[in-house]
Amino acid sequence: MTIFSTREIPEAGIRLLQDKGIKVVQWHEKRELTQQELIDNSKKVQGIILSGRIKADAEFLQECSHLKVISLFSAGFDNIDVAEATKLGIPIGHTPDVLSKATADTAFLLLLATSRKAFYHHRRIVNGDWDFFEPNANLGIDIHGKTLGIFGLGNIGFEMAKLCKNAYGMNIIYHNRSTNERAEKELGAQKVSFEELLSQSDVLSVHANLSAGVQGIFNADAFSAMKPTAIFINTARGQMHNEQDLKHALEKGIIWGAGLDVTNPEPMDKDNPLLYMPNVAVLPHIGSYVYETRDAMALLAAQNCIAGLKGEKLPKCVNPEVYNRG
Ligand code: 8YV
């Protein structure tokens, strides 16, 4: 049995696969594969590990319907046509939970960086502008005791809420399809409507999975409904917000600041004005960039492959309905 991986992943995952007698072929080039290259490589193997921005669309899945498993090296699965994979009987594995803390840490980092204009002040030093002390210039916002609104309260949102509650005594509200009883019990979180989330949040942090229903939901209307002192944080997917509307909202003071680990498109252009605004902090999608997390993701991706190749249920499966097809 052979697995093709579209990226070099941590050794821990490779070793686990090899220990089970599975051969691993990795794509070593520092560029994304073309769809044809993905198809050609996938045709030679029984399972694949997909990382990065690469898409598994209906055309790819139909060409490679022989695959026993597609194992994502990510929690997000918006790059996969899951319905088509299910129809074709291909189980999709992913790596949730193991990256929740690291990703929440990134959201928390962006919250502090934005509220204190940290990236901007760093640039002042680099640009030789650390000169005259001005008591009123470029102040930040104190977040102690403020209200954190979480859009999509799953595991990552929970970890972010916990950090903000424990560090700053923040009041937690959230908007979610389902009620998060653990967050309500342990953090006193309160479920609110989307409109209430927008109007009441001092900090609004996005943690939902990307789906058609929420794509572009943070648009001009949403930003207008937020407080002029609000900070918008997105560590989920860049397609959740409309970048032009966000830029406009920041320029016009409709909202106060933004911290982004995800952009639309990725990578962000180096001349993008968002990079040079004092109240904005942007990172290049580093949510899970931690040794420990990446090892855990590699192990889980490998475990998903091992189960898939044996025809067993994947430990973390995006489309468990694939097992009920009769
Ligand atoms: C990855 C992510 O860095 O898990 C996710 O959904 O966005 C990140 O952990 C990225 O998707 C690499 O595959």
Side-chain angles (χ1 to χ4, degrees):
M1 295 277 194
T2 307
I3 289 286
F4 173 67
S5 176
T6 62
R7 286 283 196 285
E8 291 173 3
I9 64 162
E11 256 317 290
I14 304 293
R15 244 181 288 122
L16 181 59
L17 288 165
Q18 289 170 341
D19 287 350
K20 300 283 174 195
I22 297 163
K23 194 175 158 208
V24 185
V25 177
Q26 300 195 80
W27 178 256
H28 296 293
E29 288 186 45
K30 300 267 182 266
R31 67 168 175 88
E32 201 64 86
L33 295 96
T34 62
Q35 195 185 38
Q36 195 53 51
E37 286 168 335
L38 179 64
I39 292 173
D40 293 345
N41 282 285
S42 301
K43 282 200 184 253
K44 298 178 203 150
V45 298
Q46 293 74 42
I48 58 172
I49 297 178
L50 278 190
S51 325
R53 288 182 294 277
I54 203 151
K55 284 196 174 4
D57 58 12
E59 187 197 336
F60 165 78
L61 293 165
Q62 283 157 14
E63 282 278 341
C64 296
S65 58
H66 69 284
L67 289 172
K68 287 174 173 296
V69 57
I70 296 180
S71 174
L72 305 178
F73 189 75
S74 64
F77 46 86
D78 45 286
N79 50 336
I80 312 299
D81 188 335
V82 177
E84 186 65 24
T86 307
K87 208 158 76 187
L88 295 166
I90 308 172
I92 309 290
H94 67 147
T95 62
D97 310 337
V98 294
L99 47 64
S100 299
K101 285 195 162 65
T103 308
D105 288 347
T106 305
F108 192 69
L109 162 69
L110 285 170
L111 167 54
L112 287 181
T114 307
S115 68
R116 299 299 298 270
K117 303 186 182 174
F119 290 17
Y120 165 73
H121 287 298
H122 174 78
R123 276 199 304 277
R124 281 180 50 228
I125 307 172
V126 174
N127 296 338
D129 287 339
W130 184 9
D131 41 21
F132 185 66
F133 166 62
E134 290 175 83
N136 288 320
N138 282 304
L139 303 183
I141 284 187
D142 185 358
I143 54 176
H144 284 86
K146 299 271 171 78
T147 294
L148 170 72
I150 301 272
F151 182 74
L153 186 49
N155 291 340
I156 301 174
F158 180 88
E159 293 298 335
M160 172 62 168
K162 193 163 91 179
L163 287 170
C164 292
K165 179 93 186 170
N166 291 343
Y168 293 107
M170 291 178 84
N171 167 45
I172 314 294
I173 58 175
Y174 71 101
H175 180 68
N176 216 32
R177 260 174 313 184
S178 54
T179 298
N180 190 318
E181 275 163 24
R182 185 175 167 218
E184 297 202 349
K185 198 162 150 246
E186 292 179 23
L187 307 173
Q190 193 197 338
K191 191 172 169 198
V192 295
S193 67
F194 185 54
E195 290 67 30
E196 288 168 324
L197 188 86
L198 294 173
S199 65
Q200 293 175 20
S201 297
D202 295 305
V203 177
L204 199 161
S205 194
V206 181
H207 297 284
N209 281 326
L210 179 66
S211 63
V214 292
Q215 187 151 344
I217 189 163
F218 291 96
N219 56 15
D221 288 345
F223 294 127
S224 313
M226 288 170 68
K227 296 182 184 182
T229 48
I231 293 174
F232 174 75
I233 306 286
N234 190 357
T235 52
R237 284 292 182 266
Q239 293 94 318
M240 294 278 193
H241 64 258
N242 178 306
E243 195 178 287
Q244 290 310 321
D245 291 356
L246 176 61
K247 240 179 261 174
H248 178 80
L250 290 162
E251 275 162 3
K252 300 288 174 205
I254 294 166
I255 66 169
W256 189 85
L260 308 175
D261 185 45
V262 289
T263 63
N264 186 15
E266 290 183 7
M268 180 182 258
D269 191 275
K270 71 176 175 48
D271 298 321
N272 192 307
L274 284 171
L275 293 170
Y276 306 97
M277 291 184 184
N279 301 355
V280 178
V282 187
L283 290 170
H285 203 145
I286 62 156
S288 60
Y289 269 48
V290 181
Y291 290 114
E292 294 82 350
T293 300
R294 283 289 158 88
D295 280 351
M297 289 169 73
L299 284 172
L300 188 45
Q303 284 159 358
N304 280 331
C305 286
I306 293 163
L309 293 183
K310 284 194 202 152
E312 292 172 1
K313 277 194 179 178
L314 311 190
K316 292 288 175 185
C317 190
V318 171
N319 57 343
E321 60 280 11
V322 76
Y323 301 111
N324 307 326
R325 296 164 61 249

